[in-house]
Amino acid sequence: MTGQTKSSTSKADVPRRAPDCTLVIFGGGGDLTKRLLVPSLYDLAAMDVLSRKFRIIVVDRMEMTSEAWSAHLFDEISAFAKDKAGEFAHGRLDKSVWQKMMKNVEFLAGDITESEIYQRVATSLGHNSAIFYFAVAAQFFGTILKSLGKAKLFEEDGFFRRVIIEKPFGHNLASAKALNKVALANAREDQIYRIDHFFGKEAVQSMMAIRFANTLFEPLWRQEYIDHVQITAAETIGVEKRGKFYEGTGALRDMVPNHLFVLLSITGMAPPSSLAAEVVRSEKTRLLDAIRPIKVKDFVVAQYRAGKVEGEKRPAYRNEPDVDPKSDVETYAALKLHIDNWRWAGVPFYLRTGKRLAARKTEVAVIFKKTPYQLFKQGSADAMPNVIRFQLDPIRGLAMHFMVKEPGLEEVTTPVQNTFRYDDFFKSRANVGYEALLYDCMCGDQMLFQSAATIEAGWAALESVNPPKNRKLCFYAAGDQGPKEADQLLERDGRSWLPLID
Ligand code: BG6
Protein backbone atom coordinates (compact mmCIF):
# COMPACT_ATOMS: atom_id res chain seq x y z
CA MET A 1 0.00 0.00 0.00
CA THR A 2 1.22 3.47 -0.61
CA GLY A 3 0.43 6.98 0.51
CA GLN A 4 1.04 6.24 4.19
CA THR A 5 3.78 7.54 6.44
CA LYS A 6 5.98 5.35 8.58
CA SER A 7 4.78 5.36 12.18
CA SER A 8 7.15 7.29 14.42
CA THR A 9 6.58 5.98 17.92
CA SER A 10 4.49 3.03 18.95
CA LYS A 11 3.96 1.36 22.31
CA ALA A 12 6.53 -1.22 21.26
CA ASP A 13 9.24 1.48 21.25
CA VAL A 14 8.87 2.14 24.94
CA PRO A 15 8.43 -1.21 26.71
CA ARG A 16 8.96 -1.55 30.42
CA ARG A 17 12.14 -2.93 31.90
CA ALA A 18 12.03 -6.67 32.65
CA PRO A 19 12.25 -7.76 36.28
CA ASP A 20 15.57 -8.87 37.81
CA CYS A 21 16.58 -12.34 36.82
CA THR A 22 19.44 -14.64 35.98
CA LEU A 23 19.39 -16.57 32.73
CA VAL A 24 20.91 -19.99 33.31
CA ILE A 25 21.85 -21.44 29.93
CA PHE A 26 22.36 -25.21 29.88
CA GLY A 27 24.49 -25.82 26.80
CA GLY A 28 25.76 -22.25 26.73
CA GLY A 29 28.75 -23.23 24.60
CA GLY A 30 26.54 -24.43 21.73
CA ASP A 31 25.19 -23.15 18.47
CA LEU A 32 21.75 -22.05 19.65
CA THR A 33 23.30 -19.79 22.26
CA LYS A 34 25.52 -18.21 19.66
CA ARG A 35 22.98 -17.88 16.84
CA LEU A 36 19.85 -16.94 18.71
CA LEU A 37 20.08 -16.45 22.46
CA VAL A 38 22.95 -14.02 22.78
CA PRO A 39 21.98 -11.95 19.69
CA SER A 40 18.45 -11.64 21.15
CA LEU A 41 19.83 -10.61 24.53
CA TYR A 42 21.95 -8.03 22.76
CA ASP A 43 18.82 -6.64 21.06
CA LEU A 44 17.03 -6.50 24.42
CA ALA A 45 20.06 -4.74 25.96
CA ALA A 46 20.06 -2.29 23.03
CA MET A 47 16.36 -1.57 23.72
CA ASP A 48 17.40 -1.07 27.35
CA VAL A 49 14.78 -3.43 28.72
CA LEU A 50 17.02 -5.87 30.57
CA SER A 51 17.05 -5.52 34.32
CA ARG A 52 20.08 -3.60 35.61
CA LYS A 53 20.84 -6.68 37.74
CA PHE A 54 20.55 -9.08 34.79
CA ARG A 55 22.98 -12.01 35.09
CA ILE A 56 23.94 -14.97 32.96
CA ILE A 57 25.10 -18.34 34.23
CA VAL A 58 26.52 -20.54 31.49
CA VAL A 59 26.57 -24.27 32.10
CA ASP A 60 28.61 -26.30 29.69
CA ARG A 61 30.87 -29.33 29.60
CA MET A 62 33.88 -27.45 28.34
CA GLU A 63 36.19 -25.57 30.67
CA MET A 64 36.23 -21.85 29.97
CA THR A 65 36.39 -18.59 31.86
CA SER A 66 33.46 -16.23 31.59
CA GLU A 67 35.76 -13.65 30.00
CA ALA A 68 36.88 -16.10 27.31
CA TRP A 69 33.24 -17.12 26.66
CA SER A 70 32.13 -13.54 26.26
CA ALA A 71 35.16 -12.57 24.11
CA HIS A 72 34.64 -15.57 21.84
CA LEU A 73 30.97 -14.70 21.37
CA PHE A 74 31.78 -11.05 20.75
CA ASP A 75 33.89 -12.05 17.74
CA GLU A 76 31.33 -14.50 16.36
CA ILE A 77 28.37 -12.20 16.85
CA SER A 78 30.24 -9.20 15.41
CA ALA A 79 30.42 -11.21 12.20
CA PHE A 80 26.62 -11.78 12.20
CA ALA A 81 26.06 -8.09 12.85
CA LYS A 82 27.94 -7.18 9.68
CA ASP A 83 25.67 -9.31 7.46
CA LYS A 84 23.42 -6.62 5.99
CA ALA A 85 20.86 -9.14 4.78
CA GLY A 86 20.72 -10.99 8.12
CA GLU A 87 18.16 -10.64 10.90
CA PHE A 88 20.89 -9.27 13.18
CA ALA A 89 22.07 -6.49 10.87
CA HIS A 90 23.53 -4.00 13.33
CA GLY A 91 26.71 -3.22 11.43
CA ARG A 92 29.15 -2.79 14.32
CA LEU A 93 28.28 -4.07 17.78
CA ASP A 94 27.99 -1.34 20.36
CA LYS A 95 30.49 -2.18 23.10
CA SER A 96 28.56 -0.39 25.81
CA VAL A 97 25.44 -2.44 24.98
CA TRP A 98 27.50 -5.63 24.94
CA GLN A 99 28.98 -4.81 28.33
CA LYS A 100 25.57 -4.03 29.76
CA MET A 101 24.44 -7.52 28.80
CA MET A 102 27.67 -9.31 29.74
CA LYS A 103 28.63 -7.42 32.87
CA ASN A 104 27.64 -10.27 35.11
CA VAL A 105 28.46 -13.65 33.60
CA GLU A 106 29.49 -16.79 35.41
CA PHE A 107 30.73 -19.84 33.56
CA LEU A 108 30.14 -23.15 35.32
CA ALA A 109 31.88 -26.07 33.68
CA GLY A 110 30.16 -29.34 34.52
CA ASP A 111 28.20 -32.35 33.42
CA ILE A 112 24.43 -31.83 33.21
CA THR A 113 23.86 -35.50 33.97
CA GLU A 114 25.56 -35.15 37.40
CA SER A 115 23.86 -33.65 40.45
CA GLU A 116 26.93 -31.63 41.46
CA ILE A 117 26.45 -28.95 38.78
CA TYR A 118 22.90 -28.23 40.03
CA GLN A 119 24.22 -27.63 43.54
CA ARG A 120 26.64 -25.10 42.14
CA VAL A 121 23.85 -23.42 40.17
CA ALA A 122 21.74 -23.31 43.38
CA THR A 123 24.57 -21.75 45.36
CA SER A 124 25.23 -19.19 42.68
CA LEU A 125 21.55 -18.26 42.38
CA GLY A 126 20.79 -17.97 46.08
CA HIS A 127 17.36 -16.39 46.58
CA ASN A 128 17.09 -14.81 43.16
CA SER A 129 14.79 -15.19 40.19
CA ALA A 130 16.02 -17.38 37.36
CA ILE A 131 15.11 -18.71 33.95
CA PHE A 132 16.61 -22.07 33.06
CA TYR A 133 17.13 -22.36 29.33
CA PHE A 134 17.67 -25.76 27.73
CA ALA A 135 19.98 -25.12 24.78
CA VAL A 136 20.91 -28.81 24.65
CA ALA A 137 19.80 -31.87 22.67
CA ALA A 138 16.23 -32.97 23.42
CA GLN A 139 17.37 -36.25 24.98
CA PHE A 140 18.60 -34.24 28.01
CA PHE A 141 15.38 -32.31 28.69
CA GLY A 142 13.98 -34.91 31.10
CA THR A 143 17.28 -35.28 32.96
CA ILE A 144 17.66 -31.54 33.51
CA LEU A 145 14.05 -31.17 34.62
CA LYS A 146 14.43 -33.95 37.19
CA SER A 147 17.76 -32.60 38.41
CA LEU A 148 16.42 -29.06 38.79
CA GLY A 149 13.51 -30.51 40.76
CA LYS A 150 15.77 -32.59 42.98
CA ALA A 151 17.97 -29.59 43.70
CA LYS A 152 14.78 -27.65 44.66
CA LEU A 153 15.60 -25.12 41.99
CA PHE A 154 11.94 -24.69 41.06
CA GLU A 155 10.98 -23.60 44.57
CA GLU A 156 9.96 -19.96 44.72
CA ASP A 157 9.94 -17.68 47.73
CA GLY A 158 9.40 -14.09 46.72
CA PHE A 159 11.35 -14.72 43.51
CA PHE A 160 10.46 -16.70 40.38
CA ARG A 161 11.91 -19.80 38.77
CA ARG A 162 10.97 -20.59 35.15
CA VAL A 163 12.17 -22.96 32.51
CA ILE A 164 12.30 -22.54 28.75
CA ILE A 165 12.16 -25.83 26.86
CA GLU A 166 13.16 -25.91 23.20
CA LYS A 167 11.62 -28.06 20.51
CA PRO A 168 11.36 -30.91 19.68
CA PHE A 169 9.00 -31.47 22.59
CA GLY A 170 8.69 -35.22 22.17
CA HIS A 171 8.54 -37.12 18.90
CA ASN A 172 4.99 -38.45 19.19
CA LEU A 173 2.05 -38.24 21.57
CA ALA A 174 3.40 -40.77 24.08
CA SER A 175 6.84 -39.14 24.38
CA ALA A 176 5.35 -35.63 24.60
CA LYS A 177 3.03 -36.83 27.36
CA ALA A 178 5.94 -38.45 29.17
CA LEU A 179 8.00 -35.26 28.99
CA ASN A 180 5.06 -33.16 30.18
CA LYS A 181 4.67 -35.60 33.06
CA VAL A 182 8.31 -35.14 34.10
CA ALA A 183 8.04 -31.37 33.69
CA LEU A 184 4.84 -31.18 35.75
CA ALA A 185 6.19 -33.48 38.43
CA ASN A 186 8.96 -30.98 39.04
CA ALA A 187 7.45 -27.58 38.19
CA ARG A 188 4.06 -25.96 37.83
CA GLU A 189 2.58 -25.33 34.38
CA ASP A 190 2.96 -21.58 34.90
CA GLN A 191 6.72 -22.09 35.34
CA ILE A 192 7.10 -24.01 32.08
CA TYR A 193 7.69 -22.10 28.83
CA ARG A 194 7.65 -24.42 25.80
CA ILE A 195 9.18 -22.33 23.08
CA ASP A 196 8.39 -22.33 19.36
CA HIS A 197 10.39 -19.75 17.48
CA PHE A 198 7.56 -19.18 15.00
CA PHE A 199 5.82 -17.27 17.80
CA GLY A 200 8.87 -15.00 17.88
CA LYS A 201 8.24 -13.81 14.34
CA GLU A 202 6.67 -10.35 14.33
CA ALA A 203 4.41 -11.17 11.39
CA VAL A 204 3.14 -14.32 13.15
CA GLN A 205 2.37 -12.36 16.31
CA SER A 206 0.55 -9.84 14.17
CA MET A 207 -1.79 -12.45 12.66
CA MET A 208 -3.89 -12.42 15.81
CA ALA A 209 -4.07 -8.62 15.71
CA ILE A 210 -5.09 -8.67 12.07
CA ARG A 211 -7.81 -11.19 12.77
CA PHE A 212 -9.12 -9.73 16.01
CA ALA A 213 -8.38 -5.99 15.91
CA ASN A 214 -10.34 -5.50 12.68
CA THR A 215 -14.02 -5.87 11.87
CA LEU A 216 -13.20 -6.73 8.32
CA PHE A 217 -12.09 -10.33 8.66
CA GLU A 218 -13.97 -12.07 11.45
CA PRO A 219 -17.47 -12.07 9.90
CA LEU A 220 -16.05 -13.86 6.83
CA TRP A 221 -13.79 -16.23 8.77
CA ARG A 222 -15.95 -19.33 8.50
CA GLN A 223 -17.10 -22.12 6.27
CA GLU A 224 -19.85 -20.05 4.67
CA TYR A 225 -17.22 -17.92 2.90
CA ILE A 226 -13.90 -19.74 2.98
CA ASP A 227 -13.18 -22.44 0.42
CA HIS A 228 -9.90 -23.71 1.84
CA VAL A 229 -6.68 -22.66 3.56
CA GLN A 230 -3.09 -23.30 2.47
CA ILE A 231 -0.27 -23.18 5.00
CA THR A 232 3.23 -23.23 3.55
CA ALA A 233 6.69 -23.29 5.09
CA ALA A 234 9.02 -23.75 2.13
CA GLU A 235 12.77 -23.51 2.45
CA THR A 236 15.58 -23.38 -0.08
CA ILE A 237 18.18 -24.66 2.38
CA GLY A 238 18.87 -28.37 2.73
CA VAL A 239 19.72 -30.13 5.97
CA GLU A 240 23.02 -28.26 6.23
CA LYS A 241 25.15 -29.75 9.02
CA ARG A 242 22.15 -31.27 10.77
CA GLY A 243 22.05 -34.59 8.90
CA LYS A 244 22.30 -36.63 12.08
CA PHE A 245 19.45 -34.80 13.77
CA TYR A 246 17.33 -34.79 10.63
CA GLU A 247 17.73 -38.53 10.04
CA GLY A 248 15.96 -39.12 13.36
CA THR A 249 13.34 -36.45 12.77
CA GLY A 250 12.23 -35.80 9.17
CA ALA A 251 10.13 -32.94 7.85
CA LEU A 252 6.87 -34.02 9.51
CA ARG A 253 8.15 -33.99 13.09
CA ASP A 254 10.57 -31.12 12.52
CA MET A 255 7.94 -28.69 11.26
CA VAL A 256 4.32 -29.83 11.45
CA PRO A 257 3.21 -30.40 15.08
CA ASN A 258 5.06 -27.28 16.14
CA HIS A 259 5.57 -24.52 13.55
CA LEU A 260 2.79 -25.33 11.08
CA PHE A 261 0.33 -26.02 13.87
CA VAL A 262 1.22 -22.66 15.43
CA LEU A 263 0.11 -21.06 12.16
CA LEU A 264 -2.91 -23.34 11.90
CA SER A 265 -4.07 -22.55 15.42
CA ILE A 266 -3.76 -18.79 14.98
CA THR A 267 -5.58 -18.98 11.65
CA GLY A 268 -8.41 -21.15 12.87
CA MET A 269 -8.94 -20.34 16.55
CA ALA A 270 -12.12 -18.69 17.76
CA PRO A 271 -11.77 -15.11 19.07
CA PRO A 272 -10.44 -15.31 22.64
CA SER A 273 -12.24 -13.27 25.29
CA SER A 274 -8.95 -11.71 26.48
CA LEU A 275 -5.23 -11.84 25.82
CA ALA A 276 -4.63 -13.75 29.07
CA ALA A 277 -2.28 -16.61 28.27
CA GLU A 278 -4.62 -19.34 29.53
CA VAL A 279 -7.53 -17.96 27.50
CA VAL A 280 -5.57 -17.69 24.22
CA ARG A 281 -3.85 -21.02 24.73
CA SER A 282 -7.06 -22.85 25.42
CA GLU A 283 -8.66 -21.48 22.24
CA LYS A 284 -5.67 -22.77 20.27
CA THR A 285 -5.89 -26.16 21.93
CA ARG A 286 -9.60 -26.35 21.21
CA LEU A 287 -8.86 -25.85 17.51
CA LEU A 288 -6.16 -28.54 17.42
CA ASP A 289 -8.39 -30.90 19.40
CA ALA A 290 -10.97 -30.63 16.59
CA ILE A 291 -8.62 -31.99 13.89
CA ARG A 292 -10.09 -35.16 12.41
CA PRO A 293 -7.67 -38.15 12.30
CA ILE A 294 -5.67 -37.82 9.08
CA LYS A 295 -6.13 -40.48 6.42
CA VAL A 296 -3.00 -41.93 4.80
CA LYS A 297 -4.38 -40.87 1.40
CA ASP A 298 -4.36 -37.25 2.59
CA PHE A 299 -0.68 -37.36 3.47
CA VAL A 300 2.35 -37.06 1.19
CA VAL A 301 5.99 -37.47 2.17
CA ALA A 302 8.87 -36.91 -0.20
CA GLN A 303 12.61 -36.49 -0.35
CA TYR A 304 14.74 -34.27 -2.55
CA ARG A 305 16.93 -35.61 -5.26
CA ALA A 306 19.79 -33.64 -6.78
CA GLY A 307 18.81 -30.48 -8.61
CA LYS A 308 19.32 -26.76 -8.85
CA VAL A 309 18.06 -24.29 -6.29
CA GLU A 310 18.11 -20.65 -7.35
CA GLY A 311 20.56 -21.57 -10.08
CA GLU A 312 22.99 -23.46 -7.79
CA LYS A 313 23.56 -27.22 -8.14
CA ARG A 314 22.54 -29.10 -4.99
CA PRO A 315 23.11 -32.74 -4.05
CA ALA A 316 20.40 -35.27 -3.24
CA TYR A 317 19.42 -35.59 0.42
CA ARG A 318 20.99 -39.06 0.43
CA ASN A 319 24.34 -37.49 -0.43
CA GLU A 320 24.25 -34.89 2.33
CA PRO A 321 26.74 -35.26 5.21
CA ASP A 322 25.69 -37.64 8.01
CA VAL A 323 22.77 -38.99 5.97
CA ASP A 324 22.31 -42.69 5.22
CA PRO A 325 22.77 -43.15 1.43
CA LYS A 326 19.61 -45.32 1.53
CA SER A 327 17.69 -43.03 3.84
CA ASP A 328 13.92 -42.92 3.46
CA VAL A 329 13.52 -39.93 5.73
CA GLU A 330 11.21 -37.30 4.28
CA THR A 331 12.41 -33.77 3.59
CA TYR A 332 8.93 -32.72 2.48
CA ALA A 333 5.49 -33.33 3.91
CA ALA A 334 2.07 -32.23 2.73
CA LEU A 335 -1.25 -33.03 4.33
CA LYS A 336 -4.90 -32.24 4.18
CA LEU A 337 -6.70 -31.62 7.45
CA HIS A 338 -10.32 -31.27 8.42
CA ILE A 339 -11.38 -29.34 11.49
CA ASP A 340 -14.54 -30.81 12.90
CA ASN A 341 -16.30 -27.80 14.33
CA TRP A 342 -19.09 -25.44 13.35
CA ARG A 343 -16.77 -22.77 11.93
CA TRP A 344 -14.63 -25.00 9.73
CA ALA A 345 -16.80 -27.96 8.73
CA GLY A 346 -16.09 -28.80 5.09
CA VAL A 347 -13.11 -26.40 4.75
CA PRO A 348 -9.91 -28.32 4.04
CA PHE A 349 -6.64 -27.01 5.42
CA TYR A 350 -3.71 -28.02 3.20
CA LEU A 351 -0.30 -27.86 4.86
CA ARG A 352 3.07 -28.26 3.17
CA THR A 353 6.66 -27.91 4.24
CA GLY A 354 9.92 -28.91 2.65
CA LYS A 355 13.59 -28.25 2.20
CA ARG A 356 15.41 -27.41 -1.04
CA LEU A 357 12.30 -26.06 -2.69
CA ALA A 358 12.07 -23.41 -5.39
CA ALA A 359 11.77 -20.51 -2.97
CA ARG A 360 11.76 -19.63 0.69
CA LYS A 361 8.25 -18.79 1.68
CA THR A 362 6.31 -19.00 4.93
CA GLU A 363 2.74 -18.04 4.34
CA VAL A 364 -0.87 -18.69 5.26
CA ALA A 365 -3.27 -18.22 2.36
CA VAL A 366 -7.01 -18.11 2.99
CA ILE A 367 -8.88 -18.76 -0.22
CA PHE A 368 -12.47 -17.57 -0.34
CA LYS A 369 -15.37 -19.17 -2.16
CA LYS A 370 -16.49 -17.89 -5.52
CA THR A 371 -19.42 -15.50 -5.56
CA PRO A 372 -22.72 -17.40 -5.48
CA TYR A 373 -23.60 -16.12 -8.89
CA GLN A 374 -21.13 -15.19 -11.63
CA LEU A 375 -22.39 -11.89 -12.93
CA PHE A 376 -19.28 -11.03 -14.89
CA LYS A 377 -17.28 -12.81 -17.52
CA GLN A 378 -13.97 -13.85 -16.01
CA GLY A 379 -10.72 -13.17 -17.88
CA SER A 380 -9.20 -16.32 -16.48
CA ALA A 381 -11.52 -19.23 -15.73
CA ASP A 382 -9.46 -20.74 -12.88
CA ALA A 383 -8.66 -17.43 -11.13
CA MET A 384 -9.15 -17.56 -7.37
CA PRO A 385 -11.29 -14.47 -6.79
CA ASN A 386 -10.47 -13.59 -3.21
CA VAL A 387 -7.38 -14.65 -1.31
CA ILE A 388 -5.90 -13.20 1.85
CA ARG A 389 -2.25 -14.09 2.27
CA PHE A 390 -0.46 -13.63 5.57
CA GLN A 391 3.12 -13.29 4.33
CA LEU A 392 5.35 -14.30 7.20
CA ASP A 393 8.84 -14.89 5.83
CA PRO A 394 11.00 -13.61 4.16
CA ILE A 395 8.45 -11.04 2.96
CA ARG A 396 6.38 -9.79 5.86
CA GLY A 397 3.03 -8.37 4.98
CA LEU A 398 -0.52 -9.06 3.98
CA ALA A 399 -1.69 -9.48 0.41
CA MET A 400 -5.31 -9.35 -0.65
CA HIS A 401 -6.45 -10.58 -4.01
CA PHE A 402 -9.72 -9.34 -5.41
CA MET A 403 -11.46 -8.90 -8.72
CA VAL A 404 -11.67 -5.72 -10.74
CA LYS A 405 -13.08 -4.94 -14.14
CA GLU A 406 -10.50 -5.01 -16.84
CA PRO A 407 -10.23 -1.62 -18.54
CA GLY A 408 -11.99 -1.77 -21.87
CA LEU A 409 -15.37 -1.97 -23.43
CA GLU A 410 -16.33 -5.41 -22.17
CA GLU A 411 -17.49 -6.40 -18.66
CA VAL A 412 -14.61 -8.80 -17.98
CA THR A 413 -13.11 -9.24 -14.52
CA THR A 414 -9.58 -10.10 -13.56
CA PRO A 415 -7.83 -10.69 -10.20
CA VAL A 416 -5.49 -8.01 -8.80
CA GLN A 417 -3.50 -7.79 -5.63
CA ASN A 418 -3.11 -5.17 -2.91
CA THR A 419 -0.18 -5.61 -0.57
CA PHE A 420 0.79 -4.20 2.79
CA ARG A 421 4.44 -4.60 3.82
CA TYR A 422 5.59 -4.17 7.40
CA ASP A 423 8.80 -2.53 6.20
CA ASP A 424 6.85 0.24 4.46
CA PHE A 425 5.12 1.24 7.67
CA PHE A 426 7.51 0.46 10.47
CA LYS A 427 11.16 1.18 11.02
CA SER A 428 12.78 -2.21 10.64
CA ARG A 429 15.07 -3.23 13.44
CA ALA A 430 17.31 -6.18 14.10
CA ASN A 431 15.22 -9.08 15.36
CA VAL A 432 16.46 -12.65 15.42
CA GLY A 433 13.10 -13.86 16.69
CA TYR A 434 13.79 -14.73 20.33
CA GLU A 435 13.64 -11.19 21.73
CA ALA A 436 9.91 -11.13 22.45
CA LEU A 437 9.99 -14.69 23.74
CA LEU A 438 12.83 -14.09 26.22
CA TYR A 439 11.33 -10.79 27.30
CA ASP A 440 7.87 -12.30 27.82
CA CYS A 441 9.35 -15.12 29.87
CA MET A 442 11.19 -12.60 32.05
CA CYS A 443 7.88 -10.76 32.51
CA GLY A 444 5.92 -13.96 33.19
CA ASP A 445 3.67 -13.86 30.12
CA GLN A 446 3.05 -17.31 28.63
CA MET A 447 0.78 -16.26 25.76
CA LEU A 448 3.43 -16.90 23.10
CA PHE A 449 4.42 -20.27 24.55
CA GLN A 450 2.83 -23.67 24.11
CA SER A 451 0.84 -25.23 26.93
CA ALA A 452 1.08 -28.94 27.76
CA ALA A 453 -2.41 -29.38 26.31
CA THR A 454 -1.60 -27.61 23.02
CA ILE A 455 1.52 -29.70 22.50
CA GLU A 456 -0.37 -32.91 23.19
CA ALA A 457 -3.28 -31.90 20.95
CA GLY A 458 -0.81 -31.29 18.12
CA TRP A 459 0.83 -34.69 18.45
CA ALA A 460 -2.54 -36.40 18.91
CA ALA A 461 -3.72 -34.95 15.59
CA LEU A 462 -0.78 -36.59 13.84
CA GLU A 463 -1.02 -40.01 15.51
CA SER A 464 -2.50 -41.69 12.43
CA VAL A 465 0.46 -40.69 10.24
CA ASN A 466 3.32 -40.51 12.74
CA PRO A 467 5.28 -42.60 12.09
CA PRO A 468 3.83 -42.68 8.58
CA LYS A 469 2.21 -46.11 8.19
CA ASN A 470 2.16 -47.62 4.69
CA ARG A 471 4.10 -44.57 3.65
CA LYS A 472 5.10 -44.23 0.08
CA LEU A 473 8.14 -42.04 -0.15
CA CYS A 474 7.91 -39.76 -3.19
CA PHE A 475 10.69 -37.67 -4.70
CA TYR A 476 11.23 -34.18 -6.07
CA ALA A 477 14.23 -32.54 -7.60
CA ALA A 478 15.94 -29.91 -5.47
CA GLY A 479 14.59 -26.56 -6.66
CA ASP A 480 11.10 -27.89 -7.55
CA GLN A 481 7.81 -26.72 -6.04
CA GLY A 482 7.42 -30.14 -4.40
CA PRO A 483 6.52 -33.67 -5.55
CA LYS A 484 3.76 -34.20 -8.10
CA GLU A 485 1.87 -36.29 -5.54
CA ALA A 486 1.44 -33.14 -3.43
CA ASP A 487 -0.09 -31.40 -6.44
CA GLN A 488 -2.41 -34.37 -6.90
CA LEU A 489 -3.54 -34.05 -3.28
CA LEU A 490 -5.20 -30.76 -4.25
CA GLU A 491 -6.05 -31.63 -7.87
CA ARG A 492 -8.23 -34.44 -6.55
CA ASP A 493 -10.34 -31.74 -4.89
CA GLY A 494 -10.30 -29.48 -7.94
CA ARG A 495 -7.78 -27.11 -6.36
CA SER A 496 -4.10 -26.23 -6.72
CA TRP A 497 -1.29 -24.88 -4.55
CA LEU A 498 -0.44 -21.23 -4.87
CA PRO A 499 2.95 -20.98 -6.59
CA LEU A 500 6.01 -20.67 -4.36
CA ILE A 501 7.39 -17.95 -6.57
CA ASP A 502 5.11 -14.93 -6.83
C1 BG6 B 1 13.51 -25.25 12.79
C2 BG6 B 1 13.72 -26.53 12.06
O1 BG6 B 1 12.74 -25.45 13.94
O2 BG6 B 1 12.85 -24.33 11.92
C3 BG6 B 1 14.56 -26.29 10.83
O3 BG6 B 1 14.38 -27.47 12.91
C4 BG6 B 1 13.94 -25.23 9.96
O4 BG6 B 1 14.75 -27.50 10.09
C5 BG6 B 1 13.58 -24.00 10.77
O5 BG6 B 1 14.88 -24.89 8.95
C6 BG6 B 1 12.74 -23.05 9.95
O6 BG6 B 1 12.59 -21.83 10.64
P1 BG6 B 1 12.63 -20.44 9.88
O7 BG6 B 1 12.42 -19.43 10.93
O8 BG6 B 1 13.99 -20.35 9.24
O9 BG6 B 1 11.55 -20.50 8.87
Side-chain angles (χ1 to χ4, degrees), residues 43-333:
D43 286 337
L44 292 175
M47 284 183 240
D48 204 19
V49 295
L50 289 180
S51 143
R52 298 219 160 84
K53 291 192 193 150
F54 177 69
R55 285 177 66 206
I56 301 176
I57 296 178
V58 186
V59 178
D60 205 275
R61 246 188 328 214
M62 63 186 173
E63 294 278 350
M64 215 184 217
T65 63
S66 49
E67 292 76 22
W69 181 76
S70 166
H72 165 75
L73 281 175
F74 185 83
D75 293 343
E76 299 252 6
I77 292 169
S78 293
F80 298 158
K82 286 192 189 114
D83 175 4
K84 283 197 187 117
E87 290 158 329
F88 190 65
H90 281 277
R92 278 166 75 90
L93 289 188
D94 180 332
K95 281 218 166 122
S96 66
V97 170
W98 184 265
Q99 272 150 13
K100 205 159 36 174
M101 161 182 73
M102 291 290 193
K103 70 172 183 260
N104 210 334
V105 177
E106 188 174 0
F107 195 100
L108 298 181
D111 183 345
I112 53 170
T113 62
E114 302 283 340
S115 61
E116 189 253 335
I117 190 70
Y118 299 90
Q119 291 311 327
R120 289 166 60 204
V121 169
T123 309
S124 174
L125 282 178
H127 286 263
N128 291 299
S129 296
I131 296 173
F132 304 108
Y133 199 109
F134 295 2
V136 294
Q139 79 222 52
F140 295 110
F141 293 172
T143 309
I144 308 179
L145 283 164
K146 283 184 203 152
S147 308
L148 289 170
K150 216 161 136 204
K152 303 198 185 315
L153 278 159
F154 283 120
E155 288 183 6
E156 299 175 327
D157 184 8
F159 52 85
F160 66 76
R161 294 292 165 84
R162 297 176 187 142
V163 57
I164 300 185
I165 307 179
E166 271 290 334
K167 73 170 265 274
F169 198 96
H171 56 270
N172 58 13
L173 180 58
S175 57
K177 275 189 168 170
L179 187 56
N180 273 329
K181 204 165 157 198
V182 174
L184 290 164
N186 290 285
R188 299 184 314 271
E189 177 65 22
D190 65 271
Q191 295 178 294
I192 304 167
Y193 288 67
R194 300 170 193 80
I195 202 165
D196 186 306
H197 81 273
F198 266 43
F199 274 126
K201 294 178 191 282
E202 283 287 0
V204 172
Q205 289 171 29
S206 193
M207 283 176 74
M208 248 178 69
I210 293 171
R211 279 199 58 201
F212 303 130
N214 294 292
T215 316
L216 199 57
F217 304 102
E218 185 51 22
L220 304 177
W221 223 249
R222 55 199 66 250
Q223 47 81 18
E224 287 94 324
Y225 302 106
I226 292 178
D227 180 74
H228 73 282
V229 176
Q230 296 186 13
I231 300 182
T232 300
E235 299 183 88
T236 49
I237 56 167
V239 287
E240 302 185 293
K241 292 180 191 144
R242 300 163 73 222
K244 218 183 260 164
F245 159 80
Y246 208 78
E247 279 285 275
T249 309
L252 178 76
R253 290 172 175 165
D254 189 34
M255 296 293 290
V256 180
N258 31 64
H259 306 327
L260 293 196
F261 279 7
V262 162
L263 303 183
L264 170 70
S265 58
I266 303 177
T267 308
M269 70 194 277
S273 57
S274 80
L275 289 182
E278 60 284 9
V279 176
V280 174
R281 298 191 328 168
S282 67
E283 288 301 349
K284 288 179 183 157
T285 309
R286 210 163 289 160
L287 192 275
L288 298 183
D289 273 339
I291 299 176
R292 190 187 302 166
I294 303 158
K295 298 207 173 99
V296 171
K297 73 171 179 52
D298 290 337
F299 178 58
V300 175
V301 283
Q303 190 187 80
Y304 60 84
R305 292 200 156 122
K308 268 192 179 176
V309 181
E310 295 168 332
E312 298 276 332
K313 271 194 179 167
R314 299 294 180 200
Y317 173 68
R318 290 177 180 175
N319 294 328
E320 297 276 16
D322 297 323
V323 170
D324 178 350
K326 292 193 185 121
S327 173
D328 65 357
V329 167
E330 80 284 355
T331 58
Y332 178 101

Side-chain angles (χ1 to χ4, degrees), residues 391-452:
Q391 299 170 307
L392 306 170
D393 235 340
I395 292 173
R396 287 184 286 274
L398 187 84
M400 288 213 214
H401 299 217
F402 53 94
M403 302 300 260
V404 295
K405 180 190 153 307
E406 274 181 29
L409 300 180
E410 277 192 279
E411 295 291 340
V412 176
T413 58
T414 194
V416 294
Q417 186 178 318
N418 194 5
T419 308
F420 147 76
R421 293 272 157 86
Y422 284 87
D423 290 347
D424 294 339
F425 279 73
F426 303 102
K427 213 165 71 198
S428 69
R429 59 173 166 221
N431 183 358
V432 295
Y434 271 46
E435 291 82 349
L437 299 173
L438 286 174
Y439 176 77
D440 280 6
C441 181
M442 290 173 190
C443 298
D445 186 345
Q446 289 185 303
M447 190 184 82
L448 296 178
F449 293 83
Q450 304 278 57
S451 69

